[in-house]
Amino acid sequence: MKHTESRRRYDFKAIEEKWQERWETFGLFQAPDVPRPDAKFYMLVMFAYPSGDIHMGHFRNYIIGDAVARQQMMLGKDVLHPFGWDAFGLPAERAAIQRGIHPREWTQGNIEVSRKTLKRAGISFDWSREVNSCLPDYYKWTQWMFLRLFEKGLAFRKRGFVNWCPEDKTVLANEQVKEGRCERCETVIEKRDQVQWYFRITDYADRLLEGLDRLPGWPDNLKTMQREWIGRSQGVEVDFIVEETGEKLPIFTTRPDTIYGVTFMALSPEAEIVDRLNLESPYREQVSEYRKKAFARSEIERTAGGDKDGVFTGKYAVNPFNNERIPLWVADYVLGGYGTGAVMAVPGHDSRDFAFARKYGLPIRIVIHPDAATALDPDDMDDAFTALGVMVRSGPFDGKIGEDGIEAVCSWAEEKGLGRRRVNYKLKDWLISRQRYWGAPIPIIHCPKCGPVAVPDADLPVLLPDVENFMPAGRSPLEDVPEFMDVSCPACGVAARRDADTMDTFVCSSWYFLRYCDAHNMDAPYDTAKADAWMPIDLYIGGITHATGHLLYFRFFTKFLHDIDRLACDEPDLRMFNHGMVLDAKGEVMSKSKGNVVSPTDLMDERGVDVARLAMFFTAPSEKEVLWSEEGTTGVEKFVMNKFLPLIRSLRGARPDLTRTFVPEDLTPEERAAYVRLNQTVKKAGESFAALHFNTAIAAVMELVRDYEPSKIENDVLNDQIILKTVQLLAPLAPHLAEEMWEQAGFTESVFKSAWPVHDTRAVVGDRIAVPIQVNGKLRDTVEVASSASQVEIEEAALASPRVRQHTDNREIVKKIYIPGRLLNIVVKG
Ligand code: ANZ
Ligand code: ZN
């Protein structure tokens, strides 16, 4: 009962509406066209699939970005904090099909609902820059991007085995296949041989790798995932020779030092050379049977541990190093899309080859010994010896060790024309065409005379026609729309057909962050000067699920646009933050498909936006998962009602002086303690915000407020500072309440125009002080020492700091200048 009463004490609805209206009227979140140099902050959150109203997971993601954006405003930055809709693509289309309405209608409806909820939550988005990827004024430029890539040969068509989702009836990029299943509907993927459009992201593989080394603000696990996905591996291609036909059969190996240990070769079922081996009965039938079976298996099944199988072809090839006859097998542990799709099998030194050889009774030959003193016997082994070692039974290479052996074999292969050094990547070119309706049409016209011809820029956008039937049918529904399909060739004028496919939505999301910089440009995707002024992104918040998809693609686009002089930076984002998931009370990830979503709207209706926000922030640091339960809100709500809001009544109405600092002599011992406490809290909150650990900022402020006793503080300025700085520190987290209190305190401008509190470094931390340490006049670190510490002790503490030592080690210290309690400057020579 008491609870309900206390809740009535503040009319959150009225306060929220009042401030949201004012923010809008004053354009508080409207970013300038071009920010002041050195004072910009680009705060980006991943834009949303409009697949329904937003749920707790989105809510959490967006309030984190909001807190950062608002704090950056208080830090004096010009902030760009935009939002938009990733409106094309499978999820929207699938949901629309389930409900039997047009994807456009369904998408638009969801956008309206979600936008309202986000506004309701008080997120400081600059709505004047809202983008929507399914509108022609946006996808016109997605098509423009395609054409620029096409001009440079980076958008191209090729035939090959592609991932096919039988449920969605479309091809998928490698990045959209998770453990052999469609990422969206979890159907097992099939392989189909088809002509599709690709972006040549592999041309950028090395730069995408190298760039990671220049991204200290990216989490290590994310960088590792990208490195492994790109999967650079250095080796050599050696040409084996097919015995009967003399055809070259190149293999890729990272272990050329084992080449004298080859006892069979394994070809992937996809390898075209199998068709040219002139197989004889019964091998022909067996191989054909086996290949059919293999095509039906997913890549994950083929490469997982466990039984490896294959079939003998009845044919042989020759090892060019020793002219040995090597039997040719087809085995599906060899993948069609990697290296040359053929492997020289060395059972003695490769585990998969070892298992295969044991199964089919093929010889195992040891050609590497762990060291000169230890010999291996295949009969005693139950797995291959895979480490580097000493080459044996390897002709002229006997005795070569490890990397030297590898180098020697590579050089020999190149000198004798038997092969060439090669770098391979796991990364594949990005398959971007989709046989689906709901996407940006590919701006290409197929002419019987000229081949694929680009739609001229002046004819963009190629509008997506309204169709009755958008059901996926294994080919693009656009093929059945003659008004769309039948055109004349832009180059020669003869009757031609449009490309019927649409682009993967990940193409739309590869450049949206640039459109935000100049969202209404009618003549270009964005103005380069404006984009250069805002880019790179200072902080990007989104899910780790995009690690090897979107987060690679947007780096690729950035590098490409940099290369064609459309962008100065070549990495889009300085700092990446992957927020934790929101789980339901049972520990399951909240998601629409699981039907366990909790709506933030209900919570906001019941307890107010700011309590909802504070409760979410308070549960966990931003990178951690959150087990959401509404009970957690009660404690925060009590704090707001009983402690935070009433603070304003203790203001003394002294002329607010927030920058005034105090020296101990100004204050009574009790005040001194309170002053220290205040500054500790300010410092702690600043650090917590930097780490996006808003839970600890809230905890620190709660303690400050709990221990605040107005009766012990005579100094009016100090008293008011404690209250007003508390309001400021919580402002980015509970913005409506903070504004209201700030106004009640007599300020006429928004609290977000006030300066974020800075702590007084001289203020004691308990009985400790923080002393800034300079080397040659440059600030290198701050050390904490007892306030009574002597100069010698402070010097010792300074020289123990690794950040200071970086600048003093191996240099002569010529003098130390100490201003008691304020500063130590170490002067070095050399
Ligand atoms: C002979 C050999 C001997 C190998 C040995 C390894 C150890 P990464 O590092 O992933 O690039 N390989 C080559 N193409 C393949 C394909 N299409 N499908 C499956 N396996 C393939 O691995 C390169 C190694 O994987 C190559 O080196 C090859 O086996 C195999 F003691 O060649 B190795
Ligand atoms: Zn033509």
Side-chain angles (χ1 to χ4, degrees), residues 15 82 88 175 177 185 211 269 389 444 574 577 646 682 759 807 823:
I15 293 178
F88 266 146
E175 288 79 0
V177 178
C185 71
I444 290 288
L574 298 175
F577 187 85
V682 167
H759 69 278
H807 303 277
L823 179 76

Side-chain angles (χ1 to χ4, degrees), residues 656-683:
D657 185 353
L658 287 160
T659 49
R660 165 94 181 268
T661 56
F662 298 93
V663 289
E665 299 77 67
D666 294 348
L667 304 171
T668 66
E670 269 126 0
E671 289 172 342
R672 227 178 284 161
Y675 185 61
V676 166
R677 192 54 181 280
L678 172 63
N679 281 285
Q680 279 176 330
T681 307
V682 167
K683 179 164 182 275

Side-chain angles (χ1 to χ4, degrees), residues 109-153:
N110 284 328
I111 289 177
E112 300 306 328
V113 173
S114 301
R115 191 198 294 113
K116 210 168 137 219
T117 309
L118 289 169
K119 288 192 172 177
R120 172 79 209 285
I123 314 289
S124 61
F125 291 134
D126 177 354
W127 288 103
S128 73
R129 294 169 184 257
E130 180 178 350
V131 306
N132 178 340
S133 66
C134 76
L135 297 181
D137 74 340
Y138 184 89
Y139 72 70
K140 170 179 181 176
W141 303 113
T142 305
Q143 293 171 337
W144 182 97
M145 296 284 166
F146 177 98
L147 292 176
R148 300 293 81 77
L149 287 157
F150 182 67
E151 276 164 13
K152 298 282 178 197

Side-chain angles (χ1 to χ4, degrees), residues 358-403:
R358 273 282 153 86
K359 177 168 172 146
Y360 293 106
L362 296 160
I364 298 173
R365 187 190 303 160
I366 297 299
V367 292
I368 303 285
H369 279 168
D371 52 62
T374 322
L376 294 172
D377 177 354
D379 293 339
D380 299 338
M381 293 163 66
D382 31 58
D383 196 356
F385 173 70
T386 58
L388 294 179
V390 188
M391 291 175 72
V392 295
R393 284 185 215 108
S394 296
F397 303 98
D398 279 353
K400 291 262 185 236
I401 300 172
E403 295 290 344

Side-chain angles (χ1 to χ4, degrees), residues 233 252-255 258 333-335 338-339 341-344 346 349-350 352 426:
S233 95
F252 173 70
T253 179
T254 47
R255 290 296 305 275
T258 65
Y333 71 87
V334 182
L335 301 176
Y338 187 65
V343 168
M344 62 173 219
V346 185
H349 304 288
D350 181 281
R352 291 171 306 180
K426 295 266 150 47

